[in-house]
């Protein structure tokens, strides 16, 4: 299909998947604002709530490769619609919870499954298939940027409703917002009607063979391992920043403002890294992002928090937040094509979500044990610098093989 025709036919898909990702990620990244009032009202500890968020991340990551492979075989529309309805069900269970089990099921397992169907891996695969190769990196940046706008909207709405009427009404507000996901999923699902671009690898291989080819390819393997740190750092911040600010005696509304600032600057960062990823080495840029994030975390947590430096920290981290998504997605589509992109992003994303599990639950365990987040952020900085430097150095070396020549044997 010529580029102009692909852009015309793919535009409704791109709008739909942008709205879908915006709501899916925005609400997910804002759940931490409910931790302080929820743990005070019902019999759930900080580590109990963070366990649910950690299980959400883990189930999302474990399911993602299988969800991606399912989309290759059966199409995206039914998958996206199912994810939207499941997300709503998970929030309803969370909003009516009376104890830890319901929080674990609603915020953990069910929303984790919904995110595997509607999150960044699937959204990036849909966007890649809807984009001309020459414009793909930039378009992935635009869709990733849209994924950050949801935080800018959802976090303040949830915080205001929670402070005014209680945390259950805050979650009800999220349920109403999520209803918009249903028509967005329907439009995004029209990607199934677009032709499949040619792949640089053998399209007759099955999912297992493709995964083995990718995991034997050193650049993909290093990128996947480094992705672990990305998940650990980001989920630690979204889950524990509200609690940290409350401990420091700051206005609870500051956490919502910080998450909103993260969302706003995330959009700018995603656009920037989508653009620059089309011009320079994507893996080198990933390494720089991990290093800069780690430096930012160290500076913020080493200093005494106040409204000014909290918002500056949020802006800095927001700019570096989802910028990794178009870089990872673009690298995979360039190397392996778009047919199996959803599944291969799922393989890489599984590592990301293992890191998310550690960031959410590990941070809660360390806080409950030590009464402080100091050790948690120190670990995050240390492994972040290690991963960033490794990714940076490896990006400068030429791989000894190409995936087109690799075999699954």
């Amino acid at each position: 299909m010529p580029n102009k025709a692909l852009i015309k036919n793919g535009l409704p898909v791109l709008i739909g998947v942008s709205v879908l990702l915006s709501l899916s990620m925005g609400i997910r990244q804002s759940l931490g604002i409910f931790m302080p009032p929820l743990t005070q009202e019902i019999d759930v500890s900080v580590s109990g709530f963070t366990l649910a968020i950690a299980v959400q991340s883990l189930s999302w990551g474990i399911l993602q490769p299988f969800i991606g492979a399912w989309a290759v075989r059966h199409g995206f529309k039914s998958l996206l619609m199912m994810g939207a309805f499941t997300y709503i069900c998970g929030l309803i269970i969370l909003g009516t919870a009376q104890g830890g089990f319901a929080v674990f099921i609603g915020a953990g397992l069910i929303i984790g499954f919904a995110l595997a169907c509607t999150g960044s891996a699937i959204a990036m695969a849909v966007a890649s298939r809807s984009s001309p190769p020459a414009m793909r990196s930039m378009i992935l940046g635009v869709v990733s940027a849209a994924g950050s706008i949801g935080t800018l909207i959802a976090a303040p709405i949830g915080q205001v409703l929670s402070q005014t009427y209680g945390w259950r009404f805050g979650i009800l507000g999220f349920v109403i917002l999520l209803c918009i996901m249903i028509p967005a999923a329907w439009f995004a699902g029209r990607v199934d009607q677009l032709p499949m671009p040619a792949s640089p690898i053998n399209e007759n291989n099955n999912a297992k063979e493709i995964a083995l080819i990718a995991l034997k390819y050193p650049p993909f393997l290093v990128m996947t391992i480094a992705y672990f740190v990305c998940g650990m750092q980001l989920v630690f911040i979204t889950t524990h920043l509200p609690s940290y600010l409350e401990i420091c005696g700051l206005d609870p509304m500051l956490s919502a403002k910080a998450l909103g600032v993260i969302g706003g600057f995330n959009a700018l960062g995603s656009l920037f890294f989508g653009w620059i990823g089309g011009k320079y080495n994507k893996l080198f840029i990933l390494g720089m992002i991990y290093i800069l994030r780690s430096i930012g975390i160290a500076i913020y947590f080493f200093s005494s928090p106040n409204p000014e430096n909290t918002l500056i920290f949020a802006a800095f981290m927001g700019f570096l937040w989802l910028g990794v998504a178009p870089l990872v997605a673009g690298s995979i589509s360039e190397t392996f094509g778009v047919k199996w992109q959803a599944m291969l992003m799922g393989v890489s994303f599984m590592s990301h979500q293992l890191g998310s599990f550690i960031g959410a639950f590990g941070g809660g365990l360390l806080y409950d044990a030590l009464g402080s987040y100091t050790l948690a952020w120190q670990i995050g900085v240390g492994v972040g610098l290690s991963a960033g430097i490794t990714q940076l150095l490896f990006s400068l070396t030429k791989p000894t093989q190409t995936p087109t020549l690799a075999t699954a044997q």
Side-chain angles (χ1 to χ4, degrees), residues 12-24 75-88 114 117-119 122-123 126 177-193:
V13 174
L14 291 171
I15 293 173
V17 79
S18 296
V19 173
L20 184 84
L21 183 63
S22 179
L23 292 170
S24 178
F76 286 95
K77 178 173 283 188
S78 59
L79 180 68
L80 296 172
M81 295 290 289
M82 177 174 60
F85 281 110
T86 305
Y87 209 142
I88 291 171
C117 299
T118 61
I122 295 296
V126 170
L177 279 176
L178 275 185
C179 290
I180 303 173
M181 285 182 71
I182 297 172
W186 186 87
F187 277 104
R190 293 174 61 180
V191 69
D192 295 333
Q193 302 170 15

Side-chain angles (χ1 to χ4, degrees), residues 104-242:
F104 180 86
I105 296 297
L109 293 176
I110 295 180
I111 292 182
F113 173 82
L115 287 165
C117 299
T118 61
S120 56
I122 295 296
M124 293 293 103
V126 170
S128 292
R129 186 168 164 183
S130 310
S131 310
M135 302 175 61
R136 186 168 292 148
S137 183
M138 186 63 202
I139 289 176
L140 289 173
V142 171
V143 173
S144 182
S148 65
I149 295 174
T151 307
L152 189 63
I153 298 171
I157 289 176
Q159 187 70 61
V160 169
L161 289 174
S162 180
Q163 285 188 304
T164 306
Y165 302 106
W167 63 272
R168 297 185 192 274
F169 277 88
I171 293 176
L172 176 61
F174 282 3
V175 170
I176 294 172
L177 279 176
L178 275 185
C179 290
I180 303 173
M181 285 182 71
I182 297 172
W186 186 87
F187 277 104
R190 293 174 61 180
V191 69
D192 295 333
Q193 302 170 15
L194 299 179
M196 181 67 68
S199 174
I201 58 177
N202 186 355
E203 295 192 2
N204 294 322
N205 287 326
N206 59 36
K208 180 181 178 181
E209 291 170 341
I210 295 294
L212 287 174
I213 289 173
L215 290 172
K216 290 181 178 181
Y217 185 54
F220 178 84
L221 184 60
V222 171
M223 181 183 71
T224 296
I225 294 172
Y227 215 11
F228 173 94
V229 177
C230 176
M232 185 179 71
Q233 290 180 333
L234 298 192
V235 173
F236 172 78
I237 291 172
T238 56
T239 304
H240 294 284
L241 183 61

Side-chain angles (χ1 to χ4, degrees), residues 19 29 56 128 135 141 148 180 189 193 207 226-227 239 245 248 256 261 275 285 289 310 348 356 362 371-372 386 405:
V19 173
Q29 291 171 357
Q56 175 199 106
S128 292
M135 302 175 61
S148 65
I180 303 173
Q193 302 170 15
Y227 215 11
T239 304
L245 293 176
C248 294
V261 169
W275 168 74
I285 300 169
I289 288 176
T310 297
S348 186
S356 298
S372 167
S386 299
L405 300 178

